[in-house]
Amino acid sequence: MIVVEGLIKHFQDSAVLSGIDLQIQQGEIIVVIGPSGTGKSTLLRCLNFLERPDAGRIRIGNLDVDAARPRKADILALRRATAFVFQNYALFANKTALENIIEGLIVVNRWPKAKAQARGREILERIGLADKADAYPASLSGGQQQRVGIGRAMAAQAEVILFDEPTSSLDPEWVEEVLGLMKQLAEERQTMLVVTHEMAFARDVADRVIFMEGGRIVEQGPPSELFSAPRDPRTRDFLRKVLANQAPLES
Amino acid sequence: MNVLDVDYMLGLVPVLLSYLPLTLEMAGAGMVLALILACLLAVVRVLAIPGLNALTLLFISFFRGTPLLVQLFLFYYGLPQLFSALTEINGITATILGLTLHFSAYMAESIRAAIVGVDRSQTEAALSIGMTNGQLMRRIVLPQATRIAVPTLMNYFIDMIKATSLAFTLGVTELMGATQKEAAGSFLYFEAFITVAVIYWGIVELLAWLQRRLEARFNEAYQR
């Protein structure tokens, strides 16, 4: 279980996160939605300490981190317990698909090379890229690169995978294959926290949808409730704007 | 106009080539030392270490802002006047010292640019899987920075080989100094200097070829 309490983050003088409280059960799939610039990505980045929170507390399993005074070891441990999937894939350009996936196993977890490679090939199989093991990122399509990015996160065997708008940089033709892989992970009950604008994915896959605005969680609930009967006017307003541009969401 | 004395030129080649090792030694030593110093300076600049950063900027500004020949004269003729322990500094040492300091100033900036040039998101990805800063530098940033820096560093090395000819002004008999002596003996100045020019040119072309091969290898990962 993951517990976040009172997470606060400022950039210069403006508050980006003004006290986030959040609990994530093991195996839960949570989708975070909301207008741009409301701290969704910052929340994810704070959980991984890519951004340093100003205050708050993050508990994952036995790990208990005071965000205002983290020790170096805490930060490393937190990063190892949370895997990250980036909007722009962020693959290591000097490494092949297989090497990208097993880099963490070899360098961070200190697995022997043969064992890591065997595990890497299993993951390549699962993400449907078994034939691309030796391909470098530059020769892969956007969709393939993002699947490798997800494969790298899968290899970490983290408590939770944090997805930061994983399909936003993709050409439309590649979006489906990436969402499909994420659905597959969800069916395996991989704990996931997903920031996305893909409302259909949120409706079909999420256990819980969180609507954020102005650095706060405004409303949350199962997708069936949140999408059909949003309580807060801000949620209603946002959904009306977003759904006007997307296929209708009747189930 | 006299006809070019080709026989003299052909005879001169082995004589001059016997001085090539000294030229390459000075350039080689200068390059290794300059690389080490440049890496240190670049790290200071990238991390913006307070105090050291300002000193580094001053160092780079001075050694880029003054001619190499002035620096060599400063080390060879000037320093012994201030420090009597340095009266024994020989021309070769002074040349290596000058080349090291002069070229490290240039190389530091190109190494810094190469480190900064590695896509920032890859740094975040490495940190996100729990790598330490050291692992991040060793496994992700430096290999890619090397690829970016190799072409410019090879250019500096080529420049440095040619710059060793200035050692001749400190009384060192290297390739250029030897040519000058031979020419003064035979009065065949054109033949002597065109011969040494071709020798320098050949070495540089050899290095340029090596550079292209290195780049091709580094770029394998980036072919679409």
Side-chain angles (χ1 to χ4, degrees), chain B residues 75-88:
Chain B
F75 294 134
Y76 188 66
Y77 299 111
L79 281 189
Q81 181 192 327
L82 294 184
F83 309 99
S84 52
L86 289 176
T87 39
E88 291 304 303

Side-chain angles (χ1 to χ4, degrees), chain B residues 88-114:
Chain B
E88 291 304 303
I89 190 168
N90 70 31
I92 296 174
T93 313
T95 303
I96 294 174
L97 181 66
L99 292 175
T100 298
L101 299 182
H102 184 77
F103 281 92
S104 69
Y106 283 94
M107 285 158 52
E109 285 299 281
S110 75
I111 292 173
R112 184 187 71 85

Side-chain angles (χ1 to χ4, degrees), chain A residues 104-167:
Chain A
L105 292 178
I106 288 177
V107 179
V108 178
N109 303 43
R110 305 211 175 274
W111 282 23
K113 206 170 174 191
K115 186 183 169 194
Q117 281 180 339
R119 175 98 181 102
R121 288 189 192 281
E122 264 172 51
I123 290 174
L124 279 169
E125 195 83 47
R126 284 172 64 195
I127 64 178
L129 292 174
D131 55 330
K132 295 289 184 190
D134 299 322
Y136 285 96
S139 68
L140 297 175
S141 75
Q144 289 170 333
Q145 288 190 56
Q146 190 57 298
R147 277 145 72 197
V148 173
I150 294 173
R152 178 173 63 190
M154 287 160 68
Q157 292 188 293
E159 295 278 333
V160 59
I161 301 184
L162 309 167
F163 292 83
D164 187 10
E165 303 203 22
T167 57

